Amino acid sequence: MQTSSTHDRIVVAAARLIQRQGYVGTGIKQIAKEADATLGSVYHFFPGGKEAVAVAAIAHGREEFAALLRAALDGEDDPAKAVDACARLLARELRASGWTDGCPVTAAALETLGPDNPIQRACADALRAWQNLVADKLLGCGLPSPEACDLAATVINTLEGAEVTAQVTRSEDPLLLAGRHLSRLIASYV
């Protein structure tokens, strides 16, 4: 992806680094180097330092996954088939990355557990946004709101867990299995 502004290069570089090596393992100097930016530029755009860059990187990751999720959900009329398609796409992309490009939201969230902080809030916002996308699809198929929201949370929770498991085991199987079972679950509701 070609980004034109220094700000955007910093955000994309930080998102990739956090995705591959976590928040703790990513340094501000490394972000600057990967973004082909000076350390001064990083602090110019993100006076809050590494935490501020991470919040922007998480927002970027949120939108990247939202685009993938939207494409899968919009690509199928049947929400059960759409969720299975999303799981298969995640599996292919994870394999293609050599098992390194997992979810930057999950990576950052797990490393920053504890007191309320901006990174945790950004991660929680991302998860809620993804759940809302799935819920909207289910609502559009006539599922009542409480069931749609609960089922959407189950879909995102399962996909996130399956993605981590796929990374650890270096296998598409956890995501493919999750997709098949989520599809059956959704089909039982709609």
Side-chain angles (χ1 to χ4, degrees):
M1 175 172 147
Q2 181 73 19
T3 53
S4 57
S5 76
T6 302
H7 176 276
D8 290 346
R9 287 196 320 270
I10 293 167
V11 170
V12 170
R16 293 295 163 255
L17 290 168
I18 291 169
Q19 184 176 40
R20 293 178 178 164
Q21 58 196 39
Y23 174 74
V24 173
T26 299
I28 199 86
K29 288 181 183 177
Q30 185 183 24
I31 292 168
K33 181 179 178 189
E34 290 293 318
D36 194 27
T38 65
L39 198 53
S41 292
V42 175
Y43 284 108
H44 168 76
F45 290 110
F46 302 97
K50 181 178 168 181
E51 183 177 81
V53 176
V55 168
I58 290 164
H60 174 78
R62 167 187 166 173
E63 290 310 311
E64 275 193 329
F65 184 68
L68 180 144
L69 190 55
R70 263 188 225 98
L73 294 173
D74 293 346
E76 292 280 351
D77 289 335
D78 180 349
K81 289 180 182 177
V83 168
D84 187 45
C86 183
R88 284 185 277 114
L89 180 58
L90 284 171
R92 279 193 308 272
E93 288 190 0
L94 190 56
R95 175 183 280 284
S97 77
W99 312 107
T100 59
D101 290 349
C103 179
V105 171
T106 301
L110 292 174
E111 292 182 328
T112 58
L113 293 174
D116 184 44
N117 64 67
I119 294 172
Q120 282 291 300
R121 286 190 298 275
C123 292
D125 289 346
L127 293 169
R128 276 190 296 276
W130 300 336
Q131 288 172 8
N132 289 339
L133 287 173
V134 176
D136 288 346
K137 177 73 171 187
L138 296 169
L139 289 166
C141 294
L143 202 61
S145 182
E147 286 88 359
C149 292
D150 287 352
L151 192 51
T154 299
V155 167
I156 296 303
N157 295 343
T158 302
L159 289 175
E160 286 295 307
E163 187 173 41
V164 170
T165 304
Q167 265 189 290
V168 170
T169 62
R170 302 176 65 78
S171 170
E172 293 177 344
D173 291 342
L175 278 161
L176 299 177
L177 180 65
R180 285 193 307 270
H181 283 279
L182 287 170
S183 179
R184 289 181 195 145
L185 177 63
I186 292 166
S188 74
Y189 280 87
V190 294

